[in-house]
Amino acid sequence: MIEIKYFGAVAEKTKCSFEKIASCELSLQDLLQDLEEKYRFESISFSVAVNQKILPKEADYKLQTSDIVALLPPFAGG
């Protein structure tokens, strides 16, 4: 199972804070495309982290069954 965690505006759009999907041989790009089609994120800006490491959305990363993917809102300094 791959766990997907949602934060900020993304969580508001999905109406949930996380979900799990059963998948193997799924790339990060494919997952993001599937989520975009499902939730229509439109102009929501977010970063992507896999196992607590920020990755570019276009990263060529193959997800593993124990991965945790987080969609994070933009960070503000302070």
Side-chain angles (χ1 to χ4, degrees):
M1 299 291 279
I2 296 170
E3 184 172 351
I4 307 162
K5 295 184 177 186
Y6 304 112
F7 298 91
V10 179
E12 291 174 16
K13 182 73 174 178
T14 63
K15 298 185 179 11
C16 62
S17 60
F18 76 95
E19 66 181 305
K20 294 184 179 186
I21 59 169
S23 184
C24 58
E25 298 300 315
L26 182 67
S27 73
L28 179 60
Q29 288 180 345
D30 290 341
L31 173 65
L32 293 174
Q33 182 176 348
D34 291 348
L35 293 174
E36 172 62 37
E37 290 172 9
K38 182 177 180 180
Y39 294 115
R40 303 284 180 216
F41 292 133
E42 297 152 357
S43 62
I44 296 174
S45 178
F46 60 88
S47 297
V48 178
V50 178
N51 301 325
Q52 300 181 350
K53 181 179 179 185
I54 301 282
L55 294 177
K57 290 179 186 176
E58 59 279 348
D60 185 25
Y61 182 85
K62 292 289 184 193
L63 295 168
Q64 307 297 315
T65 56
S66 60
D67 282 345
I68 298 173
V69 178
L71 304 188
L72 307 163
F75 297 104

